Amino acid sequence: MSWLRRLSRDRTSKNDTDFSMPIRPPSFADQQQQSPPYKDTQYHSNYNSQDRLQSYRPATATHSDHHQQQYHALPIQRPQEQSSSNGTAHNTPPQTMAPAPDPLTRAFNDAIKPYKDKIDRLQAELEEKNLDIQALEDERADMHAWIDKRGLRADLPPSIFTAIHTLSPSPLTSSQTLAHHLDRKMTILNHDLHRLQDSLPSHLPTSTFTTPFLTLLAPLTSLSTLPHGAPLAFELLIKLAGNLNSHGGEEGYDNDADIESRGMFYARLDEVMVDVVRRRVEKPDEEDGGVGWNVAKDMKRLDKTGAILRSKLGLQAYFPRSLDVMRYEAKRRGAAAAASGGGSPERGYAS
């Protein structure tokens, strides 16, 4: 019995003195073998009520779940380049959603909206005004065409006269058109006066012819001021003087009133002709198209007509001031040509 007591005493003292073994924590492999946490995706076909109750309990986060959460939290980087079917790589732009406007941007858009609406309204009004202006320009072009078709440029008021020549596409064409209208009007007027003279048994006073002819001096002066208009006005003035020369009978040549009317008419023509000649002298290349003005030829024309009127009507001077300017210009050009070339002056410059 003594040995039995000794044995039990030894065991009791051993239990009091020995330490318990520490519990080893489960390894990562053991955790992988355990059942996965609760997922509300799908269930196995043969699970019992105990398993269903266990599935509603929240699963404790393990070390493996922590790593999976960190992995899923990382942003997924999509490849920027994808290879096509033919082997070439092309860039694929990332699909990003447009961010919502912040309050500051929204407030700015609301503040400028009235001004943008006003700008749009003004642009619409500007387009309407441009259409109205284009319609007015078309009407003006039709009016000018109507005037030219009827040859009424010589009878236009100054404002319309200036506008129709300013808006002409070609200055030369504008001058030629006005000269054509003046020539037509002069011809019609002369023809009507001839018919009136032929219908009467006695001759008409010279003032009957000079009064309507003098109305053409104003448009002729305007013609001379246009580009390339001075040579055209020069020719029309000579024609106007010739129209008066063709009127009158034998019994009217010695009438003092007729002689005075003729002298006054030629003096008025001479005044306008002096300005025309000076414009041709100042800009010979521009007015005569670069060809040059044959001054001597026109001087001979005037001298010949003046000699006929002197012998027939006793007229002492025919464009005297104009001829003086032309003679001076002819001498100046002849001297300049002789000094530069050392020879005879050019043809037409010698008086």
Side-chain angles (χ1 to χ4, degrees):
M1 293 298 291
S2 59
W3 62 273
L4 184 59
R5 294 191 187 99
R6 193 182 306 112
L7 180 60
S8 62
R9 189 182 302 113
D10 295 335
R11 290 183 177 178
T12 302
S13 61
K14 186 177 181 181
N15 292 333
D16 296 337
T17 59
D18 295 339
F19 297 97
S20 59
M21 296 294 293
I23 301 176
R24 181 176 61 87
S27 62
F28 182 75
D30 296 338
Q31 293 178 3
Q32 293 293 334
Q33 293 178 1
Q34 294 178 4
S35 60
Y38 162 71
K39 296 181 180 179
D40 53 349
T41 55
Q42 62 181 358
Y43 299 98
H44 199 268
S45 60
N46 53 356
Y47 64 92
N48 50 18
S49 60
Q50 187 67 22
D51 295 336
R52 183 179 300 176
L53 180 61
Q54 183 69 21
S55 64
Y56 286 107
R57 296 176 181 175
T60 58
T62 59
H63 185 70
S64 173
D65 296 338
H66 180 67
H67 281 284
Q68 291 180 1
Q69 292 178 1
Q70 290 182 351
Y71 174 78
H72 289 293
L74 294 176
I76 300 176
Q77 298 181 355
R78 301 180 182 272
Q80 297 294 329
E81 296 185 357
Q82 296 181 358
S83 59
S84 59
S85 58
N86 56 1
T88 61
H90 60 276
N91 295 330
T92 302
Q95 299 179 357
T96 57
M97 296 180 63
D102 57 326
L104 183 59
T105 304
R106 190 183 302 110
F108 177 77
N109 293 334
D110 295 341
I112 66 174
K113 188 177 184 303
Y115 300 98
K116 292 179 65 177
D117 296 340
K118 186 176 181 180
I119 291 174
D120 296 338
R121 185 173 65 256
L122 291 177
Q123 288 180 348
E125 293 178 359
L126 180 61
E127 292 179 358
E128 293 179 359
K129 296 300 181 183
N130 289 334
L131 293 177
D132 295 340
I133 292 173
Q134 184 63 36
L136 292 175
E137 290 180 352
D138 295 340
E139 292 178 2
R140 181 178 59 187
D142 295 340
M143 181 186 67
H144 291 175
W146 185 88
I147 291 172
D148 290 341
K149 184 177 180 180
R150 286 154 181 81
L152 300 177
R153 283 204 183 191
D155 301 325
L156 293 177
S159 58
I160 302 179
F161 179 84
T162 304
I164 196 172
H165 291 285
T166 303
L167 299 174
S168 179
S170 174
L172 178 60
T173 303
S174 178
S175 301
Q176 291 176 349
T177 303
L178 179 58
H180 175 72
H181 292 177
L182 285 172
D183 190 7
R184 179 173 177 268
K185 183 177 181 179
M186 191 182 303
T187 302
I188 294 174
L189 183 60
N190 188 38
H191 179 70
D192 292 340
L193 291 174
H194 269 295
R195 290 178 57 187
L196 180 61
Q197 176 67 64
D198 296 339
S199 63
L200 297 176
S202 60
H203 79 283
L204 291 172
T206 306
S207 59
T208 306
F209 302 98
T210 58
T211 301
F213 285 159
L214 289 176
T215 59
L216 298 175
L217 293 182
L220 284 172
T221 303
S222 301
L223 174 62
S224 65
T225 59
L226 297 177
H228 310 285
L232 301 174
F234 182 88
E235 296 296 332
L236 289 177
L237 284 173
I238 294 178
K239 181 178 180 179
L240 183 61
N243 289 338
L244 181 62
N245 299 336
S246 63
H247 291 284
E250 295 293 338
E251 66 276 9
Y253 287 157
D254 297 333
N255 191 341
D256 295 337
D258 290 342
I259 295 175
E260 183 180 358
S261 297
R262 287 179 179 272
M264 184 268 297
F265 177 75
Y266 291 133
R268 291 289 304 277
L269 290 185
D270 192 20
E271 292 178 2
V272 179
M273 182 67 82
V274 169
D275 296 334
V276 173
V277 171
R278 287 175 178 172
R279 288 190 179 95
R280 296 188 71 176
V281 169
E282 292 174 358
K283 300 178 181 180
D285 295 335
E286 179 180 348
E287 297 296 336
D288 294 278
V291 179
W293 180 23
N294 194 340
V295 184
K297 179 180 179 181
D298 291 332
M299 287 172 54
K300 291 178 181 179
R301 290 170 58 189
L302 295 179
D303 288 336
K304 183 178 180 180
T305 305
I308 296 175
L309 294 177
R310 189 180 305 110
S311 62
K312 186 176 182 180
L313 301 177
L315 186 66
Q316 299 300 324
Y318 186 72
F319 292 103
R321 296 175 56 192
S322 301
L323 286 172
D324 291 340
V325 177
M326 295 169 67
R327 291 189 184 97
Y328 175 80
E329 178 65 16
K331 292 179 180 180
R332 187 188 65 82
R333 291 187 179 186
S340 60
S344 61
E346 296 182 4
R347 178 179 176 271
Y349 288 165
S351 58

